[in-house]
Amino acid sequence: GAMEDKRNIPIIEWEHLDKRKFYVFGICMTMMIRVSVYPFTLIRTRLQVQKGKSLYNGTFDAFVKILRTEGAAGLYRGFLVNTFTLISGQCYVTTYELTRKYVSRYNNNNAVKSLVAGGSASLVAQSITVPIDVVSQHLMMQRKGESMGRFKVQNQDGKRVLVFGQTKDIIVQIFKADGFRGFYRGYVASLLTYIPNSAVWWPFYHFYAEQLSSLTPKDCPHLLLQAISGPLAAATASTLTNPMDVIRARVQVEGKSSIILTFRQLMAEEGPWGLTKGLSARIISATPSTIVIVVGYETLKKLSLRPELVDSRHW
């Protein structure tokens, strides 16, 4: 009916964008989010890898302890390397949009388009991300003078190691230990974490947006609804995929090869609760980025609309 038409959230398609603006804005925005949430990514990884509560009792405790013993720099270990995953983010978006376009030739159902596109985009992104993740997670594991993972960065007689010196060190060690395959440790576990994560995220996002929009008054701004449903969807997806995420982190950091064995060992040592490790840190790191991605992505698309389209569409 006419009432529903008003609430239909306009979906901006790829053709309508000025690509250069889109990427520039996108990268600046992503960097801002990255800097703000990176410490929680690091904390989440350490919580997931530690045995029981041997080092940290939880997110806040870890934050305080790392800050105290290693300073702010400690919260940013591996950050520079991790920045390279920006490329995969751009590939994700591009693959997502192009797959949507391709699928719409055969099927115009939004859910189908989102699912297929989300899945393919994750595949492409993970192939770039996993090696970077493996390296940056090993860097996250370096504590003052010791390491929680398999590899320890060599400190040259107290001299500060150059920023990428540590990285090179880790890369060499991974290569020595496992050859090229070492960089794809946990590839399957990553796919099993992130593909469901992004596949689940979109439907939940649309679901929460619709529910909220039916509950709120007509004049409630879209962006607000989107800003709420994004994090809700992220929290839901994070909770559902966290068990796999813990296993992924352990496989990658401890260099195990079997998902099943890692799972069994975790269950034996820590029981079912072990599967919730790092969940709150994960939700904390997912929330700001999701809000920005959702609000940003829509705003970004509006900002990046090709000028001639701006007037023709009434937002």
Side-chain angles (χ1 to χ4, degrees), residues 34-50 55-56 58-59 62-67 69-80 82 133 135-143 148 166 245 248-249 253 277-278 281-282 284-286:
R34 281 289 172 86
V35 173
S36 57
V37 304
Y38 189 81
F40 293 99
T41 310
L42 179 132
I43 288 169
R44 159 192 129 198
T45 310
R46 288 192 179 188
L47 292 175
Q48 287 173 337
V49 172
Q50 72 172 354
L55 287 167
Y56 311 113
T59 307
F63 187 79
V64 175
K65 279 184 183 156
I66 296 170
L67 208 53
T69 57
E70 309 172 45
L75 291 167
Y76 283 93
R77 285 177 193 271
F79 179 72
L80 281 173
N82 196 270
D133 257 355
V135 175
S136 70
Q137 282 172 345
H138 279 298
L139 288 166
M140 290 178 192
M141 291 298 114
Q142 307 299 322
R143 293 165 64 235
M148 298 167 63
Q166 296 200 347
D245 194 47
R248 175 196 64 81
V253 169
K277 293 178 82 118
R282 192 167 170 217
I284 293 173
S285 67

Side-chain angles (χ1 to χ4, degrees), residues 49 61 73 98 113 117 131 133 141 162 177 189 205 217-218 303 314:
V49 172
D61 183 50
L98 295 177
K113 282 203 292 199
D133 257 355
M141 291 298 114
L162 289 170
Y205 168 58
K218 276 277 166 285
L303 290 173
H314 302 295

Side-chain angles (χ1 to χ4, degrees), residues 196-251:
N197 197 48
S198 89
V200 166
W201 190 92
W202 291 100
F204 271 113
Y205 168 58
H206 291 300
F207 168 76
Y208 288 129
E210 278 157 28
Q211 295 305 311
L212 281 170
S213 106
S214 59
L215 294 172
T216 48
K218 276 277 166 285
D219 49 11
C220 183
H222 275 321
L223 269 185
L224 183 66
L225 299 184
Q226 289 171 318
I228 298 169
S229 22
L232 278 178
T236 310
S238 294
T239 307
L240 291 173
T241 57
N242 201 67
M244 203 61 225
D245 194 47
V246 177
I247 289 163
R248 175 196 64 81
R250 294 190 157 210
V251 166

